[in-house]
Amino acid sequence: MEILPGVHAVRFRGARGHVLLDDELTLIDTGLPGSAPQLETFLRRHGRSISDLRRIVCTHGHPDHAGAAREMVALASEAETLIHPLDLVRLEITLRDAIRRPSLGSLFAAMTPFPERARPFEDGEIIPVLGGLQVIHTPGHTPGSVCLFLRERGALFVGDALEHRRPNRVTYASRLYSDDYASARRSVARMAALDVQTIVFAHWPPVREGAGEILRDLAHRAIRS
């Protein structure tokens, strides 16, 4: 499904990913392990191949967003996986570690295969695709959660930093599945400072109408509470 020119949503196992169709292909989020066939099918329909994939950009390190990165990179010889360093370090946690020091975050990390050819990115980095994809560090859901801002199209890819559970009602990240819910709420201020026209989610349809106003309202509510 094309949601903006050059921006396509692909339904993977457990979540939507987003393919940015440019000279070099970029994928935002991967779905759960086993999602590579869905990506290959999508690319074939658009006359492209997974060998054209240059990079996978993960909004955070949960298995439904980074779980298939390893298998996808293995099929794309020139691709790398980009993820915030705080979440990349966390993906070194093993199941034994998670059992020894149990938490939901450590369990999710243990469930996510460590990505091949991983490169950490930093806040503010501009990824060279469709005029520039800016990394916005928005910690809270995980320590290394980021949003990705496609400035020329006004599109903000929020991963799980926000939810859209009901029509026209956008809310903060899940309290249950977030490491630091208070930080997740505060992080909305960074999103609200951008000129956002479309909010793109991993689990729900995008929001186009009043996107900037929605973000500013959430940021204001976070300050008041």
Side-chain angles (χ1 to χ4, degrees), residues 106-124:
S106 62
L107 179 61
F108 282 155
M111 293 168 58
T112 306
F114 194 86
E116 293 285 346
R117 295 197 293 276
R119 177 175 76 76
F121 52 42
E122 296 294 342
D123 182 40

Side-chain angles (χ1 to χ4, degrees), residues 6-25:
V7 179
H8 295 254
V10 183
R11 188 175 294 279
F12 294 137
R13 297 182 62 201
R16 290 182 179 92
H18 292 90
V19 176
L20 308 186
L21 289 177
D22 208 344
D23 293 337
E24 294 181 337
L25 297 182

